[in-house]
Amino acid sequence: MSLYTKHEKIHPRIILGFFTRLKALSGFTLLGIYYTFPWLQWNGNQLVLFDLPARKFHFFGLIFWPQDFIYLALLLVLAAFALFFFTTLAGRLWCGFACPQTIWTDAFLWMERLVEGDRLKQIKLDKAPMSLGKFRIKVTKHTLWVIFSLFTGFTFVGFFVPIHELTSAFIEFNLTDWNTFWILFYGFMIYGNAGWMREQVCIYMCPYARFQSAMFDKNTMIVAYSEKRGESRGSRKRNSNYKEKGLGDCIDCKMCVQVCPTGIDIRDGMQYQCISCSACVDACNGIMDKMDYPRGLISYTTENALNGKPSRIFRPRIFVYGTILLAIFISVVVAISTRSLVQLDVIRDRNSLFRETPNGLIENIYRLRIMNIDEQPHTYTVTASGIDGLQLVKDREVIIVASGSVMTLPVRLKVEATNLKKRSSTVVFQLTAQDDPKLTISEEARFLGPFNFR
Ligand code: SF4
Ligand code: SF4
């Protein structure tokens, strides 16, 4: 499938080394999380579930409601700073080792190798005219890809619909139209992006590849070829005195090109197509070992180190991003761990500052917004304090708020004018669940009176 230029299919050669093992470990871990999390339970609920119809988000035993949007915002800010921090520190670490496009493409490449064989067999097969044998191999591969894609789509929907219910509905051929649509849609996206388009998504579609260079400096880790050491390149016998012939350490074996998932030649310099997967580092180190040359002709290094200058990994930017990242992380942890399962907003009536009742009391009107973010309904008691003789009058006696619901309760506070020491006093509303006194929250408000105190 070509997008903007004629596309030549890339058949990356498989290579084993430190970075490719690291990438495989990262892939296994992330795919493991994706495919297993919806099946795990915590306190009788699915471990991770965005229950949109019920407007709840289950996450490791915690329940978040739309009112908890602030936590999502904090998490997004945290993710953005994590990206800045790790990109400044280690370049395109995300692209090479954690991006879903990279991870799923690797899974599809693995299936392709399983069915079609290694790189040379794949090239031979693609060049061969269509035959029954070729047709059978291609159909097998695409069947495997389609099953995997549909399972991926099914798992994706399982993050939004309880996966056990979804499985029962699937077995009984009773999936809803929307569930069917999203399974097919997500499955199709994975099949298209990771099976067909692969590196073209990174090169032509991903905006991150374009703006990340703004975060790079000469001390950012990059995958680079040492031109000074490698040039001039050329083939030679293993123990030949190649330096006498004016050759550098690059034997021009092109192994670094063959393993590259985006099909570039890192010896041409830094390119935005490079996703820093470091496969070429492993490939070249293997060649250097065979030739008895020192490793590191292609290395994961910095521009400064490449030019023989000292590298400063820990520089002011890293500390600034790191400090902000740590501060946001601590804030998120503290905010979530101290989150109250009941929330209270006190809104003063804006229509009148205060009112004098027929029996001479000063009255202020408020609206209490009570949010129950617990999984159970609760009956609450409201009290008010802060001024001697303060009376609380509410429209209803029993305050029951359902799980995940918000109740607005109009209340009036009355007090003898003689008890007011100043024009504006602080009053405190306290809300307590009758069945669980630990569920209590207080909120301050202003109580206004007349200018002239008696
Ligand atoms: S793998 Fe190393 S030696 Fe071979 S072409 Fe690439 S840079 Fe040169
Ligand atoms: S040039 Fe090297 S690091 Fe960059 S994408 Fe290709 S193999 Fe990966």
Side-chain angles (χ1 to χ4, degrees):
M1 181 183 290
S2 75
L3 287 172
Y4 302 110
T5 55
K6 183 164 176 0
H7 177 238
E8 290 206 10
K9 189 177 173 195
I10 296 166
H11 303 90
R13 180 192 276 265
I14 186 84
I15 185 83
L16 274 185
F18 174 76
F19 290 107
T20 39
R21 285 196 176 97
L22 204 64
K23 191 180 175 203
L25 182 69
S26 163
F28 269 120
T29 310
L30 294 171
L31 289 182
I33 288 173
Y34 178 82
Y35 290 105
T36 56
F37 270 23
W39 297 97
L40 303 178
Q41 299 277 310
W42 187 299
N43 285 346
N45 290 313
Q46 192 167 310
L47 187 69
V48 181
L49 177 68
F50 298 85
D51 191 346
L52 296 181
R55 300 165 78 228
K56 302 192 223 183
F57 172 33
H58 295 270
F59 187 75
F60 284 81
L62 297 171
I63 300 173
F64 294 92
W65 305 89
Q67 298 88 334
D68 294 319
F69 181 78
I70 179 72
Y71 299 110
L72 179 65
L74 276 174
L75 282 177
L76 290 178
V77 174
L78 187 73
F81 270 97
L83 200 62
F84 294 160
F85 176 76
F86 286 111
T87 303
T88 310
L89 183 70
R92 294 180 70 175
L93 199 63
W94 165 259
C95 300
F97 294 86
C99 174
Q101 174 64 21
T102 305
I103 303 290
W104 266 310
T105 299
D106 276 358
F108 276 71
L109 285 172
W110 179 80
M111 285 183 272
E112 189 169 63
R113 265 192 300 273
L114 192 72
V115 178
E116 295 188 357
D118 63 17
R119 177 174 186 268
L120 290 178
K121 283 186 184 156
Q122 287 177 27
I123 294 174
K124 208 169 144 200
L125 184 74
D126 283 346
K127 281 191 181 150
M130 186 51 79
S131 63
L132 197 62
K134 179 173 176 174
F135 183 73
R136 186 180 49 78
I137 292 174
K138 292 285 176 190
V139 168
T140 308
K141 178 181 84 174
H142 285 282
T143 307
L144 203 58
W145 278 3
V146 167
I147 293 171
F148 182 75
S149 302
L150 289 176
F151 180 59
T152 303
F154 182 86
T155 308
F156 176 76
V157 176
F159 280 99
F160 296 88
V161 176
I163 202 154
H164 292 286
E165 285 176 24
L166 192 69
T167 310
S168 306
F170 173 72
I171 292 168
E172 291 160 12
F173 295 102
N174 197 20
L175 286 174
T176 66
D177 291 348
W178 275 114
N179 289 346
T180 309
F181 169 79
W182 285 113
I183 290 170
L184 292 177
F185 179 79
Y186 199 76
F188 173 76
M189 293 304 285
I190 289 291
Y191 176 72
N193 286 344
W196 286 91
M197 294 202 283
R198 301 182 183 178
E199 79 290 344
Q200 293 190 86
V201 174
C202 310
I203 296 172
Y204 298 115
M205 293 163 71
C206 177
Y208 177 54
R210 310 284 162 154
F211 74 74
Q212 52 153 342
S213 54
M215 288 178 250
F216 276 37
D217 59 28
K218 292 188 173 168
N219 288 304
T220 303
M221 299 290 287
I222 49 168
V223 174
Y225 164 75
S226 171
E227 203 177 317
K228 214 187 289 174
R229 189 185 142 191
E231 301 298 315
S232 56
R233 62 188 81 158
S235 58
R236 79 287 309 263
K237 289 214 170 85
R238 188 162 171 266
N239 289 318
S240 68
N241 199 344
Y242 60 100
K243 296 225 160 124
E244 271 182 7
K245 294 182 202 158
L247 290 173
D249 279 358
C250 174
I251 65 167
D252 204 16
C253 61
K254 297 196 172 55
M255 193 66 89
C256 49
V257 181
Q258 291 176 20
V259 298
C260 180
T262 62
I264 59 169
D265 188 340
I266 192 68
R267 296 173 301 170
D268 295 341
M270 201 174 146
Q271 296 146 73
Y272 74 90
Q273 294 97 328
C274 172
I275 58 167
S276 286
C277 68
S278 305
C280 54
V281 177
D282 284 341
C284 191
N285 279 342
I287 298 296
M288 294 295 107
D289 289 351
K290 279 188 194 142
M291 296 301 290
D292 243 348
Y293 299 166
R295 286 178 160 216
L297 178 55
I298 301 177
S299 59
Y300 195 48
T301 183
T302 68
E303 201 181 322
N304 271 344
L306 207 60
N307 295 325
K309 295 182 188 162
S311 278
R312 283 177 59 222
I313 301 293
F314 298 106
R315 46 207 194 278
R317 272 216 263 183
I318 295 289
F319 283 109
V320 172
Y321 287 148
T323 310
I324 296 175
L325 188 63
L326 191 66
I328 300 173
F329 178 73
I330 292 173
S331 314
V332 171
V333 172
V334 170
I336 291 178
S337 55
T338 57
R339 189 174 73 123
S340 170
L341 294 178
V342 55
Q343 292 178 9
L344 175 66
D345 286 339
V346 182
I347 306 147
R348 263 188 59 84
D349 181 15
R350 294 189 192 283
N351 293 328
S352 68
L353 294 180
F354 66 93
R355 177 177 97 85
E356 200 159 346
T357 62
N359 49 0
L361 296 176
I362 303 297
E363 180 183 84
N364 280 206
I365 301 174
Y366 305 84
R367 273 184 302 126
L368 306 186
R369 258 182 99 239
I370 303 166
M371 282 165 273
N372 175 11
I373 54 175
D374 197 4
E375 264 221 287
Q376 321 293 332
H378 288 290
T379 304
Y380 297 97
T381 307
V382 182
T383 56
S385 60
I387 305 172
D388 289 343
L390 195 63
Q391 299 169 27
L392 173 76
V393 182
K394 46 191 189 312
D395 286 359
R396 66 182 85 178
E397 275 316 302
V398 185
I399 307 161
I400 302 174
V401 187
S403 164
S405 296
V406 180
M407 173 191 276
T408 302
L409 179 72
V411 296
R412 282 170 287 151
L413 290 184
K414 296 180 191 181
V415 72
E416 292 279 356
T418 48
N419 288 350
L420 291 175
K421 302 282 178 284
K422 47 191 174 173
R423 188 185 168 245
S424 170
S425 311
T426 304
V427 287
V428 180
F429 287 94
Q430 182 166 313
L431 188 74
T432 308
Q434 289 177 1
D435 58 335
D436 185 358
K438 280 200 295 291
L439 289 182
T440 183
I441 189 163
S442 301
E443 189 67 28
E444 288 190 356
R446 307 304 302 166
F447 186 95
L448 301 182
F451 281 103
N452 52 331
F453 300 108
R454 284 163 260 179

